[in-house]
Amino acid sequence: MAEIYKSITYLVLALLLSLLGHYIESSFISEFAKDFISLLTTLLAINIASSTLIAGKLNEINSRTGQNFSKTSKELKRSLNIQLILIGVAFIALLLSNSQLLEVKLGKNALTISRNTLTVGIFIYYLDTLKDIGQALFSLLNFNEEEK
């Protein structure tokens, strides 16, 4: 349930930022969206490498202590799956945002604000995921058996 609230918060924040960008007539988010898929795949690669390091460290700790990390492993897999889904969503959103047909039916402003909201929302999600993985990584690197 917390994930749903977090996602809604990200989308509301993204909508507010998109509306602000539209209000001040900034094209930054639209320009940012041009290389967005490349950025997301790069961030995914970083997350995969970090997740692999975390999984290796958890396996090492499991071997030494017998501690079970199955929930953590499931969460790492779930996070990677969500990131892949978000890349697909971003691809579809960017594809649709360049549709002449939708521009006529919905209006250019609505289409731009929708695309920008999804772009910023997905980016915020990725940043949060990077933060979580970074915190987990540093916690594990500093793991000390005596702290148990």
Side-chain angles (χ1 to χ4, degrees):
M1 196 59 141
E3 190 73 27
I4 292 171
Y5 291 130
K6 192 165 65 167
S7 298
I8 290 170
T9 302
Y10 294 163
L11 284 174
V12 169
L13 179 60
L15 176 62
L16 293 173
L17 289 171
S18 297
L19 290 172
L20 174 66
H22 180 73
Y23 177 74
I24 64 172
E25 298 180 14
S26 172
S27 63
F28 175 76
I29 299 173
S30 295
E31 294 296 318
F32 179 73
K34 288 183 180 177
D35 294 321
F36 193 54
I37 300 294
S38 298
L39 173 65
L40 293 182
T41 53
T42 301
L43 292 175
L44 177 63
I46 292 168
N47 288 343
I48 289 172
S50 299
S51 295
T52 302
L53 184 59
I54 289 170
K57 188 70 172 173
L58 291 176
N59 192 31
E60 178 185 315
I61 293 169
N62 175 272
S63 297
R64 287 188 301 176
T65 66
Q67 181 72 26
N68 184 359
F69 294 105
S70 61
K71 288 183 181 179
T72 306
S73 296
K74 281 183 183 178
E75 184 61 29
L76 287 171
K77 289 177 189 174
R78 188 183 76 76
S79 176
L80 291 174
N81 285 332
I82 289 172
Q83 291 173 58
L84 289 171
I85 289 167
L86 289 176
I87 289 173
V89 169
F91 182 85
I92 291 168
L94 293 172
L95 174 72
L96 294 176
S97 72
N98 287 321
S99 167
Q100 298 298 318
L101 178 64
L102 288 177
E103 188 175 307
V104 169
K105 293 197 181 257
L106 300 175
K108 184 174 175 117
N109 289 339
L111 203 54
T112 300
I113 290 170
S114 299
R115 180 205 54 225
N116 290 352
T117 298
L118 279 174
T119 300
V120 173
I122 290 171
F123 184 65
I124 292 170
Y125 182 88
Y126 264 74
L127 290 179
D128 184 55
T129 301
L130 276 174
K131 178 192 67 93
D132 287 346
I133 288 178
Q135 287 176 334
L137 185 60
F138 286 112
S139 292
L140 284 172
L141 291 175
N142 295 325
F143 178 77
N144 185 346
E145 278 190 59
E146 297 161 0
E147 293 179 7
K148 291 191 285 180

